[in-house]
Amino acid sequence: MEKKTYTISVYSENNVGLLNRISAIFLKRHINLESFSTSESEIPNVFRFVIVINITPDKVHKIVQQIEKQIDVIKAYYHTDEETIFQENALYKVKSSFLFEERQIQNIIKASHATIVTVSPEFFVIEKTGFREETEQLRKDLSPFGLLQFVRSGRISVTKAKMGISEILNTFKNNN
Amino acid sequence: MKNHKNQKNQKSPNDSITISGAEAVIRCLLAEEANLVYGYPGGAIMPIYDELYKYKDQLHHVLTRHEQGATHAAQGFARTSGKVGVALATSGPGATNLVTGIADAQIDSTPMICITGQVASHLLGSDAFQETDIIGISTPVTKWNYQITKASEIPEIMAKAFYIARSGRPGPVLIDITKDAQFEMFDFNYVKCTGIRSYWPNPPLNTNHLEEALQLINEAKKPFIVWGQGVILGQAEQEFKAFVEKSGIPAAWTILGLSALPTDHPLNRGMVGMHGNYAPNLLTNECDLLIAIGMRFDDRVTGDLNTYAKQAKVLHLELDPAEVNKNVKADVALITNCKISLKALTKRISKNTFPKWLKRFDALDVIENEKVIKGDLFPIKPGITMGESIAMINKYTKGDAVIVTDVGQHQMVACRYAKFNQSKSNVTSGGLGTMGFALPAAIGAKMGAPIREVVAVIGDGGYQMTIQELGTIFQQQVAVKIVILNNDFLGMVRQWQQLFFDKRYASTEMTNPDFVTIAKGYHIEAERVEKREDLDQAVGRMIASEKPFFLEICVEKENNVFPMIPTGASVSDIRLE
Ligand SMILES: Cc1ncc(C[n+]2csc(CCOP(=O)(O)OP(=O)(O)O)c2C)c(N)n1
Ligand SMILES: [Mg+2]
């Protein structure tokens, strides 16, 4: 079976140790993660992990089953890129002198729809949100000018389909 | 952040009292009817031991001789009693010594709670004396674990631990409690946990899938059942027997399913897997419907998956959704306790028999009998065989004993030949294959089923991994019968060396001590049998004894266990010699 990029979304209790438990599932199977991020979700006190992996369809299914089996996981889903809206965020730190001396740089920023976050006498910071190819292109374009720092966040994504976590939690409330 | 606010607890009278965290742990155990625990003391768990001393009339603590022994004893207890086993240990080395037993309980779905002491919370992360990250270490091998740093967390967490360990697919839970939390005074009030919002241990039966399952069963001409421990864990033995009898479908067991259906039941066709019986292994690849009940298609059961039951439709009755379609694709799956699904199926099927299909089993049984069983049970050579030793135990226990086995040739032989009349009678380390399991597990098995005869069948190798538990047996006077099948070899490994490594016996021969003298050193009655003519009476004396008894049976050194499916081979390639 052919490998594909999948976004795994995990809704969970915010529990010390759950991060370890979830990463142990990948470790045990010798699977590399493309990216991993966590945050609050739309529901108070419910957390959301977004994990990106490149893997075959049968394997992603089994992994999601294992994740969902963890006591503190409320629900886990997996989706293909077509089923999600996703973005990454990147920061680029460049020497300020370039901004004024190299005309080219201003054109690059403009063309890439990046925003300038801050400017100081020594450096300035550009921010770009978008697909991997877009943040990557900007990195390539800026690197001739000597990037002082570059960092890209893990993927964050929302699904086109409904998640139904509140329904799950309500069912528990009503049954107990 | 406290997620345990999202659990449901039973209502209780609001009669809280001010006690220490350590005393709270004891009271939680008593509230869960856990009045027997196994363990080993040390600095970080001393406050709890101090309370054990005060509560010794209500809670019996068994001092094992190693923390691994405490876990296996707790497992043995859980397996025969159906209750949660409890093991205690101190921080650092005490905690790490639990890991093998925890991993064993995880893979064999045994309900167990391990409580470890931890350094005081202000020392966490400072590499304090006997500090170890047991939460990190145990995470991949526990169903759940949690570190308590405040006494006030103890009741809720303990309630949750018991609920998780015993509900759904059971498993081990580890609770790590810092020493300051054990000392801290707080208002204690215990309420049992009855639900956790992120955990659904009892998925309901899907009625659409039930209809599909019925159709598969009704259409089958050569159906075949393979059952596992799920039948025992789901307390579904009655429902299972009713289903087998009404459907008339021949059934075979995985090693952990053994004893759920009496071994002499006419539809019980033996064991599947690497050293299982000839007929059920071969016919796995001839049946048209494979009904898997409470089992997880372990590789020791299936052999090569690419050639496993490819001709058959698969109906999987399984509680754990993660096991469905994991190794073998199910055409229909009923994801619920098999007690529920079996009852629903039995109600709807009509009584049936498969005389022609059963004859296929009979015919293959004849071949196995000729080529393997005869030689095992009625040997012509002078050396005693493991098979006849087990048959002799059967003669005296009549199938009513609990048989606890270790790991190796003796385990396979014992499981192949032991007779069982009732469930929860076979205690063995299946998924992890933990040598050293049997002796301590037998202690727990006997304490979990005190009125039953408990016979531990152990190899000379595995015995020496936890031999120190003879001390526990002596101190507690646990009336277990210990049988060592001594071949002076790590027999199972030697067998593989013989068959697959051109007889290069690398480090498998053992120069053994005088086992009888060792047992006697622990004041345990002990005998050795070297000749066939002495076997009968020695086993007779052992079973007649009401005290712990040790019997060493010196068996043929280089016998092999057959049938055998070599690793990675197809069940169809099962070898008889
Ligand atoms: C803790 C552990 N270490 C190693 C093994 C690998 N192993 C499996 S069976 C076996 C030999 C067991 O020898 P013995 O206890 O004498 O039993 P026998 O096979 O001779 O009946 C070994 C070493 C294991 N299962 N468990
Ligand atoms: Mg041996």
Side-chain angles (χ1 to χ4, degrees):
Chain A
M1 261 182 278
E2 216 184 307
K3 283 188 179 181
K4 244 183 139 155
T5 299
Y6 290 96
T7 305
I8 299 177
S9 308
V10 183
Y11 283 86
S12 77
E13 307 291 359
N14 174 29
N15 206 322
V16 194
L18 186 58
L19 184 67
N20 205 355
R21 239 170 219 290
I22 290 179
S23 68
I25 291 170
F26 294 96
L27 177 62
K28 183 175 174 183
R29 290 162 184 78
H30 202 100
I31 293 166
N32 271 318
L33 303 181
E34 303 290 318
S35 87
F36 196 113
S37 69
T38 80
S39 70
E40 285 268 356
S41 75
E42 63 275 18
I43 302 156
N45 298 318
V46 170
F47 274 70
R48 183 164 172 171
F49 294 72
V50 177
I51 305 162
V52 182
I53 52 174
N54 198 264
I55 204 166
T56 57
D58 64 320
K59 278 197 178 151
V60 73
H61 178 78
K62 287 178 195 175
I63 282 166
V64 166
Q65 292 282 300
Q66 294 296 333
I67 292 174
E68 204 164 282
K69 185 166 157 172
Q70 303 308 316
I71 304 290
D72 296 308
V73 169
I74 297 165
K75 188 83 190 157
Y77 304 88
Y78 63 96
H79 293 95
T80 59
D81 287 355
E82 297 74 46
E83 295 166 326
T84 57
I85 317 283
F86 60 93
Q87 298 275 270
E88 288 174 343
N89 191 243
L91 295 177
Y92 312 76
K93 180 173 162 183
V94 190
K95 251 188 172 161
S96 287
S97 51
F98 286 132
L99 188 56
F100 309 110
E101 290 155 18
E102 302 275 349
R103 243 223 143 105
Q104 181 62 11
I105 259 200
Q106 296 186 18
N107 292 338
I108 291 170
I109 296 170
K110 225 182 219 166
S112 68
H113 298 287
T115 45
I116 297 178
V117 183
T118 190
V119 185
S120 78
E122 288 84 41
F123 64 85
F124 67 103
V125 176
I126 304 168
E127 180 270 345
K128 163 95 191 124
T129 298
F131 293 121
R132 170 69 59 96
E133 308 78 66
E134 297 171 319
T135 55
E136 188 57 19
Q137 187 57 50
L138 184 56
R139 190 179 69 84
K140 280 192 188 132
D141 293 344
L142 289 174
S143 54
F145 305 102
L147 267 175
L148 295 173
Q149 285 185 41
F150 167 76
V151 66
R152 181 165 47 217
S153 74
R155 173 186 292 197
I156 52 169
S157 94
V158 292
T159 56
K160 293 179 183 168
K162 200 175 149 197
M163 288 293 206
I165 300 301
S166 302
E167 283 83 346
I168 294 175
L169 298 180
N170 282 335
T171 318
F172 177 83
K173 242 191 197 159
N174 300 336
N175 289 353
N176 280 276
Chain B
M1 64 126 272
K2 289 294 165 267
N3 80 306
H4 39 281
K5 295 285 177 261
N6 295 319
Q7 76 194 56
K8 282 280 171 182
N9 294 315
Q10 261 172 15
K11 293 266 177 298
S12 88
N14 214 1
D15 52 351
S16 67
I17 45 159
T18 305
I19 58 172
S20 71
E23 185 173 359
V25 171
I26 309 294
R27 287 188 174 234
C28 293
L29 292 171
L30 292 173
E32 295 288 349
E33 284 154 56
N35 41 25
L36 178 62
V37 300
Y38 301 89
Y40 211 101
I45 199 165
M46 282 184 68
I48 291 176
Y49 271 79
D50 196 40
E51 294 300 331
L52 279 169
Y53 184 80
K54 295 179 200 160
Y55 279 84
K56 64 177 170 224
D57 294 339
Q58 294 171 62
L59 206 166
H60 183 51
H61 175 270
V62 174
L63 174 69
T64 55
R65 294 303 185 265
H66 187 289
E67 290 85 354
Q68 182 185 351
T71 56
H72 295 328
Q75 290 181 276
F77 172 82
R79 294 269 280 268
T80 57
S81 70
K83 296 184 193 157
V84 179
V86 180
L88 309 182
T90 192
S91 65
T96 55
N97 276 348
L98 299 174
V99 172
T100 302
I102 296 173
D104 195 286
Q106 169 86 339
I107 202 161
D108 280 352
S109 315
T110 309
M112 175 166 77
I113 291 180
C114 291
I115 299 171
T116 49
Q118 181 56 281
V119 301
S121 53
H122 72 277
L123 292 173
L124 285 173
S126 71
D127 301 324
F129 179 64
Q130 294 193 332
E131 181 189 2
T132 194
D133 175 16
I134 195 59
I135 293 293
I137 290 171
S138 66
T139 291
V141 290
T142 46
K143 187 171 173 186
W144 190 66
N145 60 8
Y146 192 86
Q147 184 174 62
I148 293 176
T149 53
K150 285 188 210 73
S152 58
E153 293 181 292
I154 289 171
E156 276 171 306
I157 293 297
M158 288 294 287
K160 193 169 168 181
F162 272 93
Y163 178 72
I164 291 169
R166 62 161 78 103
S167 60
R169 180 176 176 182
V173 170
L174 182 136
I175 303 299
D176 193 35
I177 311 178
T178 59
K179 200 170 177 181
D180 51 328
Q182 297 174 43
F183 277 126
E184 193 187 346
M185 302 297 287
F186 76 113
D187 289 341
F188 174 77
N189 182 24
Y190 194 74
V191 272
K192 280 195 177 185
C193 174
T194 56
I196 299 166
R197 70 171 185 174
S198 58
Y199 171 53
W200 298 84
N202 299 307
L205 178 65
N206 177 317
T207 47
N208 292 335
H209 295 165
L210 179 72
E211 297 304 322
E212 292 169 27
L214 285 164
Q215 194 180 341
L216 285 183
I217 295 172
N218 290 336
E219 285 168 0
K221 301 274 179 294
K222 294 191 284 182
F224 176 46
I225 293 168
V226 176
W227 88 86
Q229 196 189 200
V231 172
I232 300 170
L233 294 171
Q235 299 172 9
E237 292 93 341
Q238 292 306 324
E239 290 78 3
F240 175 61
K241 188 158 174 257
F243 175 73
V244 168
E245 287 174 353
K246 192 170 179 192
S247 69
I249 301 174
W253 35 275
T254 72
I255 196 165
L256 287 175
L258 175 54
S259 87
L261 186 70
T263 35
D264 60 5
H265 192 284
L267 288 169
N268 184 340
R269 306 308 308 218
M271 172 162 72
V272 288
M274 185 171 268
H275 293 289
N277 293 102
Y278 193 53
N281 271 316
L282 272 185
L283 298 182
T284 299
N285 278 357
E286 218 172 276
C287 66
D288 60 358
L289 174 64
L290 181 63
I291 309 177
I293 306 176
M295 58 84 84
R296 59 182 179 84
F297 294 106
D298 181 89
D299 57 282
R300 282 291 190 269
V301 162
T302 63
D304 176 26
L305 282 172
N306 297 319
T307 53
Y308 182 79
K310 286 293 171 203
Q311 80 296 340
K313 288 262 195 305
V314 175
L315 167 59
H316 199 174
L317 278 55
E318 170 60 48
L319 178 60
D320 180 356
E323 294 299 347
V324 175
N325 296 332
K326 187 182 86 175
N327 293 339
V328 171
K329 182 123 189 48
D331 293 277
V332 178
L334 301 179
I335 303 175
T336 186
N337 185 341
C338 61
K339 192 180 177 77
I340 296 168
S341 51
L342 284 168
K343 201 169 170 184
L345 287 171
T346 309
K347 211 168 137 191
R348 297 277 307 278
I349 56 173
S350 34
K351 191 150 173 57
N352 207 346
T353 50
F354 299 90
K356 224 177 118 197
W357 175 224
L358 285 173
K359 287 224 170 68
R360 282 290 291 143
F361 286 81
D362 293 341
L364 295 168
D365 283 352
V366 170
I367 299 172
E368 182 178 347
N369 201 41
E370 270 311 304
K371 296 230 156 150
V372 179
I373 299 175
K374 256 192 187 168
D376 281 354
L377 300 186
F378 310 102
I380 11 177
K381 281 201 270 176
I384 302 175
T385 65
M386 291 185 175
E388 65 183 318
S389 306
I390 302 300
M392 197 57 78
I393 294 169
N394 286 339
K395 177 179 164 185
Y396 285 96
T397 62
K398 301 188 176 62
D400 290 328
V402 172
I403 306 286
V404 184
T405 51
D406 210 73
V407 174
Q409 290 185 316
H410 65 281
Q411 174 192 35
M412 293 300 130
V413 174
C415 290
R416 282 174 54 78
Y417 294 115
K419 295 269 172 265
F420 293 103
N421 302 328
Q422 56 172 305
S423 185
K424 291 199 176 70
S425 297
N426 169 53
V427 179
T428 196
S429 168
L432 204 66
T434 306
M435 283 173 72
F437 173 83
L439 191 63
I443 296 171
K446 179 71 183 172
M447 294 177 122
I451 56 163
R452 299 192 62 193
E453 184 75 65
V454 173
V455 182
V457 177
I458 316 180
D460 48 308
Y463 182 52
Q464 293 180 79
M465 284 201 171
T466 48
I467 194 168
Q468 68 278 7
E469 300 307 336
L470 288 173
T472 313
I473 291 169
F474 170 54
Q475 184 173 357
Q476 301 283 333
Q477 283 299 305
V478 191
V480 291
K481 311 298 163 64
I482 307 155
V483 177
I484 302 304
L485 297 180
N486 185 4
N487 52 12
D488 288 319
F489 268 110
L490 298 173
M492 186 57 92
V493 179
R494 188 211 52 75
Q495 174 171 345
W496 285 42
Q497 289 170 333
Q498 180 184 341
L499 299 176
F500 311 117
F501 293 88
D502 290 328
K503 289 200 180 185
R504 290 186 297 275
Y505 293 165
S507 297
T508 43
E509 196 168 359
M510 301 246 268
T511 307
N512 279 320
D514 182 340
F515 290 122
V516 169
T517 303
I518 290 174
K520 285 189 171 158
Y522 284 96
H523 306 285
I524 293 170
E525 213 176 319
E527 287 192 32
R528 175 183 298 116
V529 173
E530 283 162 308
K531 293 199 201 79
R532 176 164 298 126
E533 57 262 35
D534 300 329
L535 182 64
D536 192 323
Q537 293 199 352
V539 173
R541 280 191 295 276
M542 173 182 79
I543 299 300
S545 169
E546 292 187 348
K547 291 203 188 124
F549 195 105
F550 173 85
L551 180 64
E552 174 186 357
I553 304 177
C554 300
V555 296
E556 191 68 51
K557 285 182 195 283
E558 297 189 34
N559 275 1
N560 289 336
V561 184
F562 285 107
M564 179 177 193
I565 303 164
T567 322
S570 163
V571 287
S572 300
D573 296 332
I574 182 167
R575 292 169 58 169
L576 289 170
E577 52 200 350

